[in-house]
Amino acid sequence: MVALVAISQELATLLDCIKSILQSMSTNDTFTVFNAGLGGATALENIPNSYRNSDYHKYTLSVANTFSILIIQFGTNDAARNRMADESFFINDYENLIQSYRDVHPNLIIFLSIPPPVYLGPQPINKIYSIAVNERLPNIIKSISVETNCRLIDVFNVLGGKKLTKRECFIEDGVHPNDVGYNLIAETVAVRLHPFLL
């Protein structure tokens, strides 16, 4: 049996859709999914929205589960309100989070998802952190994946990338995908995971 855990509110809300796509692609239908996502959470520690220190205990529950594949997506909320002015804190805390799972599950297959780009919307905050998300974050996540020996899922480029070519995949705020965007994410994740479920 393959158990899949997603730590990202976006990916977690798509788990049923991802599971359905995977089942249509695979003869291995003996896998389960666990939603470990928490809206607004950050990889950064010691701040109110920290995933590891959350009162909702999603982190504790996810570590305690038995599973073989983990998908992690952080960065968008970490970049909000200029929290990534010094990206070394984000990198350190993200790598510590990954290691905390490996300490308990040494054979775990871990995917890091590069978050979707941020499009300019009606909120002034978009302008503050769109540069961090669109210019810096993809390279940071790629670097973390190399340092921690994790695989990548490139949601960023699927939803328009640096050139911001898929505005139609987002709701008005320019941050959250719409149904079209979510379907693209689900398909991208399913295709990336499929070889590991055979």
Side-chain angles (χ1 to χ4, degrees):
M1 181 183 80
V2 175
L4 170 65
V5 173
I7 301 176
S8 155
Q9 191 57 29
E10 285 177 344
L11 296 177
T13 58
L14 291 170
L15 282 179
D16 285 340
C17 183
I18 292 167
K19 183 178 179 182
S20 176
I21 294 169
L22 285 170
Q23 285 175 330
S24 71
M25 297 168 69
S26 177
T27 55
N28 178 5
D29 58 359
T30 57
F31 58 89
T32 59
V33 295
F34 175 71
N35 174 354
L38 183 61
T42 66
L44 285 165
E45 298 179 29
N46 304 316
I47 63 171
N49 293 341
S50 170
Y51 181 75
R52 289 182 77 175
N53 302 325
S54 162
D55 291 338
Y56 294 100
H57 307 294
K58 288 275 192 163
Y59 167 72
T60 306
L61 290 171
S62 65
V63 170
N65 264 284
T66 301
F67 54 95
S68 52
I69 297 175
L70 173 67
I71 307 171
I72 307 175
Q73 178 180 289
F74 282 112
T76 304
N77 292 313
D78 295 276
R81 292 178 286 282
N82 206 28
R83 290 182 184 133
M84 284 178 58
D86 182 349
E87 61 193 46
S88 65
F89 292 107
F90 173 73
I91 293 168
N92 183 68
D93 290 350
Y94 206 148
E95 290 180 352
N96 285 342
L97 175 67
I98 293 165
Q99 188 57 48
S100 73
Y101 281 96
R102 286 230 168 94
D103 288 343
V104 179
H105 306 284
N107 298 318
L108 187 61
I109 298 170
I110 302 177
F111 288 87
L112 304 185
S113 173
I114 304 173
V118 170
Y119 290 77
L120 294 181
Q123 301 298 323
I125 193 169
N126 289 43
K127 295 176 183 176
I128 296 171
Y129 75 104
S130 63
I131 291 174
V133 173
N134 298 342
E135 303 287 332
R136 294 167 50 209
L137 191 58
N139 289 331
I140 293 170
I141 301 298
K142 288 175 187 175
S143 175
I144 292 171
S145 77
V146 170
E147 289 297 317
T148 58
N149 196 29
C150 292
R151 292 163 171 85
L152 278 175
I153 298 175
D154 192 355
V155 170
F156 179 76
N157 281 307
V158 167
L159 289 183
K162 197 172 179 179
K163 293 185 179 180
L164 302 174
T165 58
K166 296 271 179 79
R167 180 65 176 92
E168 71 278 6
C169 294
F170 290 78
I171 63 173
E172 185 182 0
D173 69 6
V175 177
H176 298 95
N178 58 23
D179 288 346
V180 174
Y182 278 129
N183 285 334
L184 275 174
I185 294 171
E187 290 169 8
T188 301
V189 172
V191 167
R192 188 73 177 96
L193 294 182
H194 180 246
F196 297 88
L197 301 176
L198 298 176

